[in-house]
Amino acid sequence: MNIKEIFSVKSVTHHRDYGNAEFMRVIEEEITQRNEMGVEEKFKQRTLKLVKSGNEKNIITLSPMKSLSLEDFEYPFQNTAKIRDALRLQVMPYSAAGDVEIFPVMLKKSGRNSSGIVWYVSPDELDISSKNAGKIWPSPLPFVSGLKDYGGNGATIWVDEENICALLWQSYHPIMYRWRKFTPDGEAQITAWLDRYCEVRGLVRGGDFVVKASGGYEADEDFSDIVSESVNLCSWIADVNLSRKVLEGARDLERTVRISAKIALWLVVSGAIFLASEFIDYHQTHSQVLSFRERSEKFYRETFDPERTGRISNPVTLARDKIASLTGKGEEGHPLDDVLADLGDIFGDFVGSNMTIDIIRYNSDGIDFTGTAPDMTTVLNFRRSWEDKANLVQVDNTQFVSGIGYRFDIRIRW
């Protein structure tokens, strides 16, 4: 088994530089306080200790978590909320042992499928006294570049005053995390356990890269170099953040999505109801218009023209003209002789066209014709011939009658 110490790594060329980052590590300190009764109480508090100073806006916290575990996932969808829900359902049978927080990391997308790893950790591990812990990474995570001589196979091991934790890798992919309390021979015991585990599972044992973080000194420049190289080898490491802030952000987002979905559903339902009501109103109005039109046509036929067939486009106007004609007002205004003269003059141009005038209605306002023609062109030419002799010439109704041609109504007003 090959072991490398952190300070033996040489500087490398990298693309993502953590040289200016400030690195902290999580330690447990025993705090003594007096309660309201004046009795001293002792409890442990998770706090931060400086490993390497740097830019306070880019803080990386390395946490040797006791309850951390991980596994792979693969789903036929890529939505983050759906992935969280699926993983939550997956661990629900084990929730009786205590609450667990879920941190999925997407590694690959293919079509609609997605795959990656998920970190499970107890909520107690996320309680850190400092308000600005930056990104929180499992302690052995950012040192995988120390295994590059072994093809990314082996274990990165973190050792401090109270913890020994190891992350097992296969081809730069994390497989398993293990923690144990620090003892003088704990490092040898955990490496021996990893030897047996890889042998049983048929995994490549590779080598070990040990980070000894106990003591009060700061790491030298090689510390930043190896982290930078690790993130360049495994770019997904930069997306890992096992912090309560990330959880709260994800929950807030899910809550916002759920509320937005409810609002959207309410708007869709309201829109559907409004559309349905408008559709019903339209049909009611349309039915009333058709009913009114049918009654008007019926009244006109019964009163003035029982033999009239087909649609009557403007029965009110026709009725007014008919009344004017019946009251003798037709003799006023444009004389009937002039009208008949104009008709004869115009109709002379349609001799041989098989057009006939069946009904003539005359009053003071104008004259109406009802007749038949072999085609619409003849009807339109007849209407056009009157345009120079009247102010208004309008074809009110045309209806094709088999064997006859087009039956038409033309209204002419002076």
Side-chain angles (χ1 to χ4, degrees), residues 46 63-68 121-128:
R46 292 169 58 83
S63 178
M65 299 179 177
K66 300 177 183 179
S67 62
L68 183 67
V121 64
S122 169
D124 296 337
E125 301 272 16
L126 307 180
D127 293 331
I128 300 175

Side-chain angles (χ1 to χ4, degrees), residues 7-74:
F7 303 115
S8 66
V9 179
K10 295 181 180 179
S11 297
V12 294
T13 302
H14 47 266
H15 299 91
R16 187 169 296 186
D17 189 7
Y18 284 81
N20 293 327
E22 182 163 289
F23 288 88
M24 312 291 290
R25 64 187 179 97
V26 177
I27 61 173
E28 286 190 353
E29 293 182 337
E30 190 173 81
I31 307 297
T32 302
Q33 288 183 349
R34 292 184 181 274
N35 59 21
E36 296 178 355
M37 304 298 294
V39 179
E40 289 188 352
E41 292 182 345
K42 294 183 179 181
F43 62 93
K44 287 189 175 182
Q45 177 177 279
R46 292 169 58 83
T47 186
L48 300 181
K49 188 172 184 179
L50 182 66
V51 177
K52 179 185 180 298
S53 60
N55 188 349
E56 295 182 357
K57 294 182 179 180
N58 185 16
I59 299 177
I60 305 296
T61 296
L62 305 176
S63 178
M65 299 179 177
K66 300 177 183 179
S67 62
L68 183 67
S69 64
L70 70 114
E71 67 176 355
D72 294 332
F73 71 81
E74 184 173 357

Side-chain angles (χ1 to χ4, degrees), residues 174-212:
I175 300 297
M176 186 269 299
Y177 176 89
R178 183 173 176 82
W179 175 92
R180 62 166 293 153
K181 186 176 178 61
F182 174 80
T183 58
D185 61 344
E187 182 181 334
Q189 291 182 6
I190 203 168
T191 55
W193 186 92
L194 290 171
D195 291 341
R196 294 193 300 273
Y197 180 83
C198 290
E199 182 180 355
V200 172
R201 294 291 302 274
L203 302 176
V204 179
R205 180 62 180 91
D208 292 332
F209 187 84
V210 181
V211 180
K212 293 185 177 180

Side-chain angles (χ1 to χ4, degrees), residues 186-360:
E187 182 181 334
Q189 291 182 6
I190 203 168
T191 55
W193 186 92
L194 290 171
D195 291 341
R196 294 193 300 273
Y197 180 83
C198 290
E199 182 180 355
V200 172
R201 294 291 302 274
L203 302 176
V204 179
R205 180 62 180 91
D208 292 332
F209 187 84
V210 181
V211 180
K212 293 185 177 180
S214 58
Y217 58 86
E218 294 186 15
D220 63 13
E221 188 62 29
D222 289 335
F223 186 93
S224 300
D225 289 342
I226 194 170
V227 173
S228 299
E229 186 179 12
S230 295
V231 175
N232 286 319
L233 287 171
C234 303
S235 58
W236 55 267
I237 293 178
D239 298 326
V240 177
N241 190 359
L242 311 188
S243 69
R244 193 173 298 279
K245 182 178 179 180
V246 170
L247 283 179
E248 292 173 353
R251 288 167 182 165
D252 290 343
L253 178 61
E254 291 177 4
R255 189 181 303 110
T256 302
V257 170
R258 285 196 297 268
I259 293 174
S260 300
K262 290 180 181 179
I263 294 174
L265 179 61
W266 182 84
L267 291 175
V268 169
V269 172
S270 300
I273 294 173
F274 178 78
L275 181 62
S277 64
E278 290 296 316
F279 185 74
I280 294 172
D281 289 343
Y282 168 78
H283 274 277
Q284 290 177 345
T285 304
H286 185 64
S287 299
Q288 291 174 357
V289 171
L290 291 178
S291 177
F292 177 78
R293 183 180 296 169
E294 290 174 357
R295 290 198 304 270
S296 300
E297 292 179 357
K298 179 182 178 182
F299 293 153
Y300 178 82
R301 287 191 181 94
E302 291 177 350
T303 305
F304 300 106
D305 196 355
E307 297 180 357
R308 179 73 174 262
T309 60
R311 286 284 310 280
I312 301 175
S313 62
N314 200 338
V316 176
T317 302
L318 293 178
R320 186 186 62 191
D321 295 344
K322 193 74 173 180
I323 293 173
S325 175
L326 294 175
T327 56
K329 293 182 179 180
E331 297 177 358
E332 301 176 2
H334 207 74
L336 180 61
D337 293 343
D338 292 344
V339 173
L340 294 177
D342 291 340
L343 176 61
D345 183 39
I346 292 173
F347 202 77
D349 296 334
F350 291 88
V351 175
S353 64
N354 294 327
M355 184 182 74
T356 61
I357 301 297
D358 300 325
I359 299 174
I360 299 176

